[in-house]
Amino acid sequence: DAEITQSPRHKITETGRQVTLACHQTWNHNNMFWYRQDLGHGLRLIHYSYGVQDTNKGEVSDGYSVSRSNTEDLPLTLESAASSQTSVYFCASSRGGQGNEQFFGPGTRLTVL
Amino acid sequence: QKEVEQNSGPLSVPEGAIASLNCTYSDRGSQSFFWYRQYSGKSPELIMFIYSNGDKEDGRFTAQLNKASQYVSLLIRDSQPSDSATYLCAVTPPLVFGKGTRLSVIA
């Protein structure tokens, strides 16, 4: 069955370290998204991509970067982790066009000490 | 800043009752509207989507859209304890999620 996976599921790191969160989908979806979810803020869009070599900034992109070298993967990199980036991170994908529903991965809980 | 507003709740309803969840959005250009359910510690999962004014029914769930009032709602009939979760409203374009309404169905 097609799916979307994230790794690692849990990560503890230190302030200033570079961290990369992986997202992999097997639906062959064009669109992929990264969100963070914090109490009181709901889901906030970090970066998104509408296809290979396409990346766009979302609402809270500062301190994060993504690259899209193939259809299946959209890794999220924290260049220099900060305590404010402690959060649950969700990756999502959708088929194409702006109106299609998104399918979410299981999430990665990141703690920055 | 495009906004999607939801009452954070908690909304408590007795088992078997109708739960009504509401969402308003600020961007009149928004065209697609989604309801997601999120259990504690889990990822959001799509329940329903609606594009046109009016009602759309799927089993115990009914989504209602009123573009003139910039209002979308989700009705859950015959609510069950297993419906207890946070319900997220999402609107696109642009892609924005509300903060969610926590629903508690009391047995």
Side-chain angles (χ1 to χ4, degrees):
Chain A
D1 287 343
E3 60 178 357
I4 180 167
T5 57
Q6 294 183 235
S7 63
R9 295 293 311 280
H10 301 272
K11 174 78 175 178
I12 300 175
T13 191
E14 295 178 342
T15 301
R17 290 191 180 268
Q18 184 180 80
V19 176
T20 296
L21 308 183
C23 175
H24 179 80
Q25 52 97 3
T26 59
W27 278 304
N28 201 33
H29 283 168
N30 286 329
N31 301 346
M32 295 185 73
F33 308 83
W34 273 104
Y35 296 90
R36 60 179 289 175
Q37 188 173 39
D38 306 283
L39 278 174
H41 289 281
L43 278 168
R44 291 184 290 175
L45 185 62
I46 305 172
H47 282 286
Y48 59 102
S49 168
Y50 287 148
V52 176
Q53 302 301 330
D54 176 73
T55 61
N56 306 279
K57 294 181 178 180
E59 177 189 358
V60 289
S61 61
D62 287 349
Y64 303 94
S65 63
V66 294
S67 62
R68 186 90 179 271
S69 59
N70 59 52
T71 300
E72 297 79 17
D73 299 290
L74 186 70
L76 177 72
T77 297
L78 287 67
E79 303 293 343
S80 177
S83 58
S84 60
Q85 294 177 309
T86 293
S87 186
V88 177
Y89 290 86
F90 289 104
C91 179
S93 71
S94 67
R95 191 175 49 207
Q98 292 183 349
N100 287 307
E101 58 270 33
Q102 296 184 17
F103 297 89
F104 283 81
T108 294
R109 183 174 295 276
L110 176 67
T111 302
V112 183
L113 301 176
Chain B
Q1 180 75 6
K2 313 301 182 183
E3 294 184 347
V4 175
E5 299 287 342
Q6 295 183 255
N7 189 322
S8 62
L11 173 66
S12 295
V13 299
E15 183 175 359
I18 296 176
S20 178
L21 304 164
N22 305 314
C23 172
T24 59
Y25 59 95
S26 63
D27 187 355
R28 286 195 172 275
S30 297
Q31 297 174 2
S32 305
F33 307 86
F34 305 88
W35 283 100
Y36 288 82
R37 178 178 61 200
Q38 186 175 24
Y39 292 113
S40 181
K42 302 295 186 182
S43 57
E45 55 179 338
L46 182 72
I47 298 175
M48 292 195 67
F49 59 89
I50 186 167
Y51 303 143
S52 303
N53 274 330
D55 295 357
K56 179 181 179 182
E57 186 174 318
D58 183 1
R60 295 187 296 114
F61 299 96
T62 298
Q64 299 175 319
L65 175 61
N66 184 326
K67 289 186 177 181
S69 300
Q70 296 176 240
Y71 177 91
V72 57
S73 65
L74 179 70
L75 301 179
I76 306 174
R77 290 182 299 280
D78 188 24
S79 295
Q80 301 297 310
S82 59
D83 295 324
S84 298
T86 296
Y87 290 79
L88 304 172
C89 173
V91 173
T92 184
L95 185 59
V96 181
F97 279 81
K99 294 179 181 179
T101 298
R102 189 154 51 95
L103 172 66
S104 178
V105 180
I106 310 301

